Amino acid sequence: CCQLPHAVCCEDRQHCCPAGYTCNVKARTCEKDVDFIQPPVLLTLGPKVGNVECGEGHFCHDNQTCCKDSAGVWACCPYLKGVCCRDGRHCCPGGFHCSARGTKCLRKKIPRWDMF
């Protein structure tokens, strides 16, 4: 039983989140679409020359972040101190994290399950 009114039951069938939130079972958090959401940006293949060496002969410019793409090859996120999404296709600006599916960039402050 969940103690929260109109709660959302999580896929693990052990936890729940308040109404208006979604469960992120892997992160053990309840996520809510907040006022400031950004769409993730697609990674671009890194140039052969640049200011920041990612590794294996791949580079990014100094205002970008190195990320591994879905094929395991270095790619560039157009944000300085960007956050690489697990899907290997997207990234988010600093201060954000990728949603579980990599389709949204959410603010870092998200409630943990034990807060409710």
Side-chain angles (χ1 to χ4, degrees):
C1 293
C2 185
Q3 304 298 325
L4 304 169
H6 309 291
V8 176
C9 296
C10 298
E11 296 166 3
D12 68 354
R13 298 182 182 202
Q14 296 177 18
H15 297 91
C16 62
C17 292
Y21 286 77
T22 57
C23 301
N24 183 338
V25 177
K26 288 183 183 176
R28 300 179 53 89
T29 58
C30 297
E31 295 180 355
K32 182 174 185 170
D33 291 348
V34 291
D35 294 339
F36 194 67
I37 295 176
Q38 289 201 353
V41 175
L42 284 172
L43 300 174
T44 58
L45 202 57
K48 295 294 181 186
V49 177
N51 303 25
V52 178
E53 184 177 358
C54 301
E56 302 162 5
H58 293 274
F59 295 84
C60 289
H61 296 292
D62 60 359
N63 59 345
Q64 298 177 328
T65 301
C66 297
C67 293
K68 288 268 188 165
D69 68 12
S70 56
V73 177
W74 286 108
C76 299
C77 172
Y79 299 116
L80 179 65
K81 296 183 181 176
V83 177
C84 307
C85 296
R86 287 186 180 188
D87 69 357
R89 296 181 58 225
H90 299 94
C91 70
C92 294
F96 286 79
H97 72 280
C98 305
S99 65
R101 293 185 185 141
T103 58
K104 296 178 188 172
C105 297
L106 306 169
R107 284 184 193 252
K108 275 212 172 199
K109 280 191 168 181
I110 52 175
R112 297 203 48 88
W113 285 341
D114 55 11
M115 291 178 63
F116 302 108

